[in-house]
Amino acid sequence: MAAVFLSIALVPAGTANAASSTYYVSATGNDTNAGTSSEAPWRTLGKVNSTSFQPGDTIRFHAGDSWVGQLWPKGSGADGAPIVIDRYGDGAKPKLVGQGAVGEVVRLFNQEYWEIRNLDVSNAKPATGTPGANLGDFRGIGVHGDNGRTLRHFVVDSVDVHDVTGEVKWIGGDPANNSPGVTWKTGWDRSKNTGGIVFTTTVPNIAAPGNPTVLTGITVQNSTIKNTSFAGVTVKQYTGDAPGAVRTGWGTRRTADDVLFKPHTNVTIRGNYITQANTAFGGNGVYLTNVRDGLVERNVIDRVGVSGIETYYADRVTVQHNEVMGTHHAQGSADANGLDPDVGTTNQLFQYNYLHDNGDGILLCGCGTPKFGSAVIRYNVVTGSKRWNLHMWQEAGTVASIYNNTFYSTDAPNMVSGNNSGRATLTNNLFVSGRSASFLQQSSLTYSNNGYSSNLTTRPSSDSRRVVGDPKFVNPAVRGPYGDENGPRLDTAANFALQNGSVFVDAGATVTGSGGRDFAGTPVPSGSRPDIGAFERGGAAPGISFEESFDGLATGLLANGTNGWRVISTGNEVRVVDTPSATDKSIRLNRTTDGGGTDGTNLARIFDTPLQGTVTIEAQVMRNDTQAGWFGLPYVYNSSGIQAVSVAFARGEILAYEGGTSRVIGTYASGQWYRITLTVDTVNQRFDLDIDGRRVLTDAAFRTSMPGIGKIAWYANAAERGAVHVDDVRISGGPAATN
């Protein structure tokens, strides 16, 4: 895939074109104020809602304050100049409370280019004496449209959405089972529209629907979504099946190439913590429907009902590096699975996920009227399932490839179950059980070269190349640590890696197009042949390699070696500063003269044993000067000290290298923070770049070969001058390289 560069002017929170303004809102403000300074803020949501904002404007709510009602500011941003909602001041995130009196607490309708950051949002109607009687058509954040256009760029970042008492409406079922708050057989358009963060579209007149409204460029990241019914995050398109409606078919896909299907596009759900542990009405964690080109990664889905992550009528979706645990049946649901590529889904890739202690494991449900679908399920670790580990309910016409997964359960009576008419191949999977669990055996299923624990006497007789024995797992009795609001603990899954002497080492078959790396990012094969299961022998699951907020450091010059940092500041300064605040510190690199040689003024992390596999490098960076100097923010080096991946801020431009060529990919403003995220793949020698959650560079080549990451540095040298800030560094991903 060729590298894709978006030549955009990136102007995130708080900056825009020359005409943009920043507006402040405080519980102690006054709506007669101009609102354009923190000393003279507005007071009410009504004032904000009656204002039409312009591209590049920012609306800031005072930290620690609270408002009751609905926030619905008007206007739209523009490409490179979104309108941003954020906070200001020290303290807790500003609270917006709906109390079940509004459909959604934060609302956008027929608007685009918006970014919502750092809010605390709830929408709970007070409970009555009857369970479910307080549920309604409620959302925390709702983004909607019906104007028949393509609406672009929606970022929800670092929000806390919780306690939304949304009703539960099921597409089908028996309406005789209806009860307060839970309704069956409501159809597509009237179902599953409530919860924490919801993106849906509709039409102004169901009898004359006009053209579809399509949302594109949706990102939900770094957020917590707790106790929100029906779902945590939902993306859904209109189809026209309510009484009196003209069917459009935009949402319900009839065939793989259905020309009526009009999905939302470019959807990313990343780095969120989603739980429904304290609501009896929670359904899906992530419900991604009617989407083309989606990415769901590095989320923690904790104790939700129905399904952890479900795709439905979707195309080209990748679900990876998530941890899903504790799913259960809720309000009459048939399912309680961790992952589910469901009806009408094509080109689904589910990989590198850790599922544990769920009611069910992975469901492949290409079922119902649409008789098509395609999915690849690979390198997942599935443990502790209660009912079944892998459930197949595929119709004729569907295709699934299931390989190199590890399934381990002491309880589930079914290892592979269902009723499968579609074509599916199962290769190099490792099935281990504490009991003699059953396997679905139908002519549509091809078992080849899978591994089975010795007690599985019911193993498929058709698997003529099967391998049987003791897996010699590291520690199958492991009980954590598990993921939380700080992110998934994929490293815990390494307890299901193979040890020396396992019969499954070097016993796998070669799978064409397997991706080249295992669950831990270790190259496949590492021996003479691939191993059976999700791990190559000796692999260690990806986790947090390093995390640093700098908040606990004393203000002042940063000494070399502090917390493992390599610091060079010859003739210049690398200093801990109270920016943004005394409780949220950062590092300031200030270069005013030559010094430091090739390293210059430098803040670096060095890995004595280089990192391999897929490694994610994140940091907040800010230039707060007007000088033209070139700062690497960051540069990534191989173990020989040669630059392989380079991102730089210079002369108002953000630059990155594709191979040996420097490209301008956006602009920056002095004094503005930017979240830089590099996803570096040392196996395939490529990287992606995101800025404030927006993908700006995809599948770009390294400058030089880098089998492992030896150093990451934020720096400037030679004649370059200027000042930058670095904060909230997080490095996660594959294990250190092994010889």
Side-chain angles (χ1 to χ4, degrees), residues 446-580:
T446 300
Y447 291 92
S448 177
N449 215 113
N450 297 285
Y452 307 87
S453 58
S454 301
N455 66 316
L456 285 172
T457 57
T458 56
R459 52 187 175 265
S461 58
S462 60
D463 194 348
S464 60
R465 299 179 60 187
R466 61 187 176 272
V467 180
V468 180
D470 181 357
K472 295 187 181 297
F473 287 143
V474 173
N475 178 21
V478 63
R479 292 292 183 268
Y482 297 134
D484 54 22
E485 295 181 26
N486 296 308
R489 289 301 302 263
L490 304 181
D491 53 324
T492 299
N495 288 282
F496 298 92
L498 307 176
Q499 297 187 86
N500 289 334
S502 172
V503 297
F504 304 114
V505 172
D506 295 343
T510 298
V511 177
T512 303
S514 68
R517 59 182 182 269
D518 72 352
F519 184 97
T522 303
V524 177
S526 292
S528 60
R529 294 168 59 189
D531 293 354
I532 291 176
F535 291 98
E536 291 289 294
R537 179 180 57 84
I544 304 302
S545 303
F546 178 75
E547 197 165 21
E548 174 69 86
S549 68
F550 305 108
D551 298 341
L553 299 180
T555 302
L557 293 176
L558 181 65
N560 183 44
T562 303
N563 286 359
W565 286 101
R566 180 173 180 255
V567 178
I568 297 176
S569 55
T570 308
N572 298 288
E573 282 190 348
V574 177
R575 176 181 291 272
V576 181
V577 294
D578 291 340
T579 304

Side-chain angles (χ1 to χ4, degrees), residues 93-115:
K93 294 176 182 178
K95 295 181 183 296
L96 300 179
V97 183
Q99 297 181 341
V102 294
E104 46 271 320
V105 180
V106 181
R107 175 178 172 85
L108 297 175
F109 188 80
N110 288 335
Q111 296 162 270
E112 59 184 337
Y113 294 104
W114 280 82
E115 299 183 357

